[in-house]
Amino acid sequence: MNYQEKVSTRQDVRALFEKVKGNPAVARYRGYTETKSYGWDETADDYVKCEGEVWFDNPAHDPDFVAVGTPSEESRELLDEQLLARDEAIAALCAERDMLRLKVEELEGALAVAEGERESAVAKKDTVCAILCNLRAVLEAVLAYKGE
């Protein structure tokens, strides 16, 4: 991992060097301004200035260092596999959700048809009831006429 930070004073460069030296995960570092790069020379106890973008080696760098909470390569592969499995599970669930939404729409359509048929049957029943009521009234009138 590389690390860079904007610097403006000799003390900034020294502080950057100490910060980087305290983190063995950092391989290279640079302090920078708009046009220059800065590093620290421990033997000279002074900064090093270079034109352009130049990176300086961290003397405390350990390529085998794994920071706490930083996954190893094996862990990353396992996490990648788990992510892939979860992505596949999510895709399957989304497909199932879409299929269920279509089924719900289909059932809502069938329900609307059934409700229409029920309303038609109720209207026919009401018509038949009205006819029977009229027939009863006529029959009662006939029976009343014969009974006189």
Side-chain angles (χ1 to χ4, degrees):
M1 166 174 84
N2 291 341
Y3 181 77
Q4 64 182 348
E5 189 174 290
K6 193 166 194 154
V7 294
S8 57
T9 67
R10 181 177 188 270
Q11 289 80 18
D12 290 347
V13 177
R14 175 68 186 239
L16 170 62
F17 175 75
E18 294 299 327
K19 182 191 305 184
V20 168
K21 192 174 170 185
N23 185 350
V26 175
R28 298 181 323 157
Y29 72 98
R30 79 184 264 263
Y32 68 93
T33 61
E34 286 187 30
T35 59
K36 295 181 178 39
S37 294
Y38 296 87
W40 191 260
D41 183 349
E42 276 187 300
T43 56
D45 198 31
D46 202 5
Y47 68 88
V48 177
K49 175 172 61 171
C50 298
E51 291 291 325
E53 183 176 320
V54 177
W55 291 88
F56 301 89
D57 291 331
N58 177 6
H61 174 63
D62 179 2
D64 296 326
F65 176 78
V66 177
V68 174
T70 303
S72 66
E73 189 61 36
E74 291 173 359
S75 298
R76 285 188 195 125
E77 288 175 10
L78 179 60
L79 289 173
D80 288 344
E81 289 173 13
Q82 290 174 344
L83 286 173
L84 182 60
R86 288 200 175 136
D87 286 345
E88 290 170 357
I90 289 170
L93 289 171
C94 287
E96 183 179 359
R97 179 202 59 206
D98 294 342
M99 181 190 70
L100 290 172
R101 282 183 178 165
L102 290 173
K103 187 67 173 175
V104 165
E105 289 175 7
E106 181 182 310
L107 291 172
E108 285 174 342
L111 179 61
V113 168
E115 286 175 345
E117 290 173 355
R118 181 187 61 82
E119 288 175 11
S120 175
V122 167
K124 286 179 184 177
K125 176 196 71 88
D126 290 346
T127 301
V128 169
C129 283
I131 291 170
L132 286 174
C133 286
N134 286 338
L135 285 174
R136 177 181 278 164
V138 169
L139 182 58
E140 286 175 355
V142 168
L143 289 176
Y145 178 72
K146 279 190 169 184
E148 288 182 2

